[in-house]
Structures are given as C-alpha cells and as structure tokens.
Amino acid sequence: MTEKHDLLLEIGCEEIPAGYVAPALKRMEELFAEFCEKNRISSGETKTFGTPRRLALTAEAVADRQDDMVIEIKGPPSKAALAPDGSFNEAAAKFAESRGGSLKQLQIRPTDRGDYLFMVKKEKGGKTAAALAELPKFIFERLAFPKSMRWDVRPARFARPARWILLLYANKPVRAGFNGLPCGPFTYGNRWHGSKKIKVSSIPDYFEKLEAAGVVADHRRRREMIRKAATGLARGNPYMPDELLDEVNFLVEYPYAAIGTFPVEFTELPPEVLIICIKKNQRYFPVSDPATGRMLPEFVVAMNAPLTESKKVIEGYERVLNSRLKDAKFFYDEDLKTSMKDRAESLKRITFQDKLGSLWDKQERVKALAADLGAGWGAAAEDVRTAVEAASLMKADLASQMVFEYTEIQGTVGKYYILAEGGRTEVAQAVEEHYMPRFADDALAASAAGALLAVADKMDTVTGYFSVGLIPTGSADPYQLRRAALGVIRTLEAFNMPFTFEDLARMSAERHGEIAGDENSRRKLVDFFEERYRNYMVASGYPHDVMEALAARKAPLAKKREAADAIVEVKDAEEFRDFREVFTRISNIMSKSKPSVGKGVNPDLFQAEEERALREAWLKAKPALEDPNATESGKLMAMFALAAPGAAFFDKVLVMDKDENVRENRGVMLFEILAGITDNSADYKLIVKK
C-alpha cells in the first residue's frame, strides 16, 4: 500500500538580490511540479518560502512510491510478425529481443493504418526517496535569474554562491549531493545570531528552530510583520506601496523596525522628491501627516537585526539620508533661480531625435496639435487655452538638475516649478498629466487640458518615429511606441473624444512633412493603432473575432466599444447566424467580382422579385446604418431584416447572369450592401461561426 509523507527542500546561499526572490519561488514551485510529473510522483499542496539567504519548498502527501508505468512500443505490421498459423514468427521475436522484452509482452492492435505489432511493457514504480536524490540538481540547474554567477571552481551558476542543501522526506534526510554542496538535515540561522548550524527533524521543527535563530522563513508572515511594525511605530501614515514592501521584505530575515528623523527644512521639498530619496535610494518607509497629507520629518526602517546600539545605528541611517536630501534641496533651490520660460528656451539646444529636431520643436508641434484636437473635440475654450499654454512649458523641466537626477518625476517637477513662480494651477496640472498614463495600468489625466496634451504629445512621438522609419518590429520597441499608443487609446476612451485613428493620423502627420502626404505611411500608422486597440480590447475580455470584424470600421472608440458589446450580446443568436450567412455570401462573391466604380443600381434591370425584395430591405436598413446617432443594437436589428430576403435572393437568383448588364447591376447592388455594412458596422464574415 502506498504511503504519503511530507517533503522539505531548502537551497541556502549568500544574500540574493531582493527582486530575484519572488520570481525564483514561483519558478521553484513550477519546477517541482515538472519533476513530479516526469518521475511519476503524486503529491499534494506545495508552498514556497523565501528570505535573502534561502529558497525553500514544502510539499504535502508525497507518495512513497512512483506510479507504475505502461510503455507501448509500436513494431512492424501484423502480417510481417505472424506465422501462417497465427503465432508470432522470428521477426516478432527479434523485435521483442531488440526492445528488451519477450514474446509474452507482444500484442496485435488495430491502428488507422491497419493492424500492427506492439510491445506492452509494464514498469513498476521505484521508491520516491531514491528519485528525490535528483530533485536539488533538477531545480538548481533550471532556476534562471536576471544575472547569475559562478563561484570557486564549481561549474554551476546561481544568483549568488550556494552554500547548503536541506532535503527531508518522511522526516528523514535524503542524500542529494550536487555541485560539491553539503546536503543533509541542516540549515543555518540569521547571520546576526551567529548563523549557527541547525539540525532539522521535520517541517514544523524547521520553522520553529529558524525563528528561534532569527529567521522568519515564511515571507508572507514576515511581510505582515513589517507592515504592522511600521504602522505601529510611525506618528503618521507610512508610505508602503506593494513594490517597496515586497523589496524590504526580501532584504531581511527577521524584521526589526525603528524610527529615524531628518531636519524639518527638507519637508519643503516636493513630496515626490522626498519619497524617492527615502524609498528608492534607502528602502525606508516615508511617513505623511494623516490630517494634511504633508510629509513628516521621519521615516521607518526595517532591519535584519535587533538594535544593540540603537542610537548609533539610527544615526547612521539618518546621516546617509540627510546627505541625499541635502543634494535634492540644492538641486531644487538652484533650479528655482531660472524661470520655466527661460528653461524652455534652452530646449532648443537639446535634441529630441536627430531627424525630428529639438525638444523645442516637439513642443511647438504638440502645441499646434493640442489646439486642433481641442477644436475637433469641442472642448471648452479655457481648456484649450490651458493646454496650449502648458504645451509651451511641458518639457522645460527636462533641462533641470532635479529631473537629471530623478528622471522618474519629470512632469511632476515641472508642476512644482510652475507653481513656485506663481503660474496657473491648471497649467501646472496639465504639465504633470501630459505624461499620463506612464505605463499600462497607470492613472489617466484628470483634466481636459491634461488629456489633450497627453494625446497630442504621444501622437507626435509615435507619428514622428514612424515618419523616420523607426517602427516597432516583433518584440523590439526601443522607443516604447506601443506604450504610447495604448496611452492614447485609454485617454480617448476615458474622455470620449470623437476621433478615429484616421483622424489622429492625418492631424498629427500634418506636422511631419515626411509622412503628411504619404498615404501608405499613414495607413501603417493607423494599422499600428488598430492592432494596439484590438489587443487592448481582447485583453479586456472581448472576443478576438469580434475585434477583428470591427478593425476596418472608421469610428470613434466609444462607438467601436458599443458595437463590440452589441455583437457579443447577439452573436450566438439564430437571427445573427442567418444574417452572417447572407453577409458572408455577399462578401465571397464580391471578392471574386468587382462591379464598375460609380455605377448606381438600376431597378429596371431587375428580373426577379427576390432582387427587388432585397433592394427594398436594404433601402430600409441603410438609414439606420448611416445615422450617426443610431445605437449599435438598433443597427444590428436593421441588418437582421436583410437575412430572409438575402437568403431568398441567393436561392432563386443567379448573380453571374449571362446578360452583362443584369450581372453588373446585381454586382453593384451587392457591393453597395457590403460596403454600407462594413463601413458603418463590421466585417461580419470574420465572426467565427458556431
């Protein structure tokens, strides 16, 4: 009878970079599952645990024997393996011998190509403990890190030098020597506790003894300890975004929290600057006043050891931080000596891109485009004025010392500098918001002026790079044009701007001579945005075929989303399937025969009542399709009325009539229906038939 036992694996090493640990733990769990599948070992729930010095895994209910395996080996056709009396002949015997089996293991089985000889071998599963000896090597060799290293003369690579392997199964050590690493029932505690060798007898014993030696191995529990300690110590609200909390969590093995302070004069700096100095450079937690939201002159630090000489240790933390804050204060004070207008002038000497001119040139293009977008959107005159004014200053902070040092807060620095010299709040806000969204899930601009500027700036960037041939290919996108396009799409949708991608390409191209008159280049630009929009919508849950069908439609994004919702709601209905069938037949015929351009439908050439009925049905549906105020559901209902007369038409009427005039007239009618539906709704033949 198969028994089940728990398993514990730990790889001990020197301190791993904090950002490497979580991905390594996830991969470790995947590799254990692969190992079990490969070795036919059944197991229960698996969990991983990590600190800077160890990657650990536990698995419950691991079977003590591998599953039995049946191996089937296909041989020659049965007629070549059987004697006249139906027994296996010499060829069959040689086949069995070559595969390490006997005649008793041979069978005749039917296949798609007739009866064949098969050898069926049953391999009994071995002991799990023996197979587990290969587990550390299997995982160790397959764990990948952004950067790996070799140490000593060992051939293996790892994030940092590995020092020991702990492997227990059924509370017994498994000998799994690999790469010269010691392997046994031993682990090591926190360095600050002497890093003593600890003998482990079980999984509960592992966690208990490690904690006594200054190691909380469960990173989930350790993270919560840090959060509670920081919240309890701070006089205000500690700033603990997930990415900072995760990083600090994997910098310590047992968190000891403490409070530090800095001179109150530094709270005059923009809060984003303080947060960067405290969070990014030092990995401390900044603290804000819950009543005012202003930064307090203190921080919380999580350490890896108890404070034996707390005053000196905290003074060291404060001294390092004060040096960084002094630099930031110097940059801030020096920058304020130059006005934003003068700083904007200096952009004439800073190149945006060799063929696209300076940052000043870019600002001028964006200023003109923002004005055009505002007029086309019907935005309030004050919002357009604000956007244009902000466009003249939007890149000025790139010439500041503060942004040179802290590039991630470009735009935000510009906002504070505009406010410091008495500029309008609305202009300062638009300058900050024109970078939004900075990444896929980032917040969007909150103001109309900021949205105009964000769309104009990103459109100018994408159009400019397309105009000089720097177009993303495959996975390569060094100028982050896909991110910029997604930012345009999200902003257009959020503010319900009435522009099609064709509108944006045309308006933006007018400022780039190389692409302005090139229809083919503008088409590539539109296709690029269509692809990004399609991927964005599919990622949001819309079916791929629906978005493909809508790709050719020139419509604002709000209308496209409304159409997608309407199609998704009815695409499985019988009336939709009937309509799609008629549309597909029209599309297929028109793909083979194009009618003369410019000709209209002549009812006098109709020879069948079904022709007239289809024409009348189309003339009734057409106004709803072309009405800009019609709902997309209403358009679908109007098109569904074409299904019955369309089906009757194809049953009774031969489109390719012998009479050239009749044939041409029918083609013109069908082409008008096809173009009217595709241009105003969707290409329904691309909807997958169910």
Side-chain angles (χ1 to χ4, degrees), residues 558-576:
K559 270 294 181 185
K560 284 200 173 191
R561 184 179 285 270
E562 183 189 347
D565 288 333
I567 294 171
V568 168
E569 187 174 345
V570 302
K571 70 189 292 263
D572 295 328
E574 184 177 353
E575 55 187 350
F576 178 84

Side-chain angles (χ1 to χ4, degrees), residues 292-352:
T292 65
R294 291 179 58 84
M295 302 304 295
L296 295 175
E298 68 176 46
F299 60 89
V300 180
V301 59
M303 301 172 294
N304 199 33
L307 294 176
T308 53
E309 297 184 33
S310 58
K311 187 176 180 181
K312 288 184 178 180
V313 174
I314 293 299
E315 284 177 353
Y317 287 130
E318 292 172 344
R319 187 165 53 251
V320 174
L321 177 60
N322 285 347
S323 295
R324 293 195 176 276
L325 292 177
K326 284 179 182 178
D327 289 343
K329 187 71 164 62
F330 173 79
F331 298 148
Y332 183 70
D333 292 340
E334 287 298 305
D335 284 343
L336 290 180
K337 293 177 182 178
T338 303
S339 71
M340 285 290 281
K341 185 176 180 180
D342 290 342
R343 204 173 293 283
E345 283 288 328
S346 69
L347 297 179
K348 294 177 179 179
R349 301 187 297 274
I350 302 177
T351 301
F352 168 59

Side-chain angles (χ1 to χ4, degrees), residues 527-547:
D527 290 345
F528 175 73
F529 273 92
E530 284 288 0
E531 181 186 10
R532 298 313 302 157
Y533 179 66
R534 187 161 57 249
N535 293 343
Y536 165 65
M537 292 291 281
V538 170
S540 300
Y542 286 86
H544 187 272
D545 59 336
V546 172
M547 299 317 303

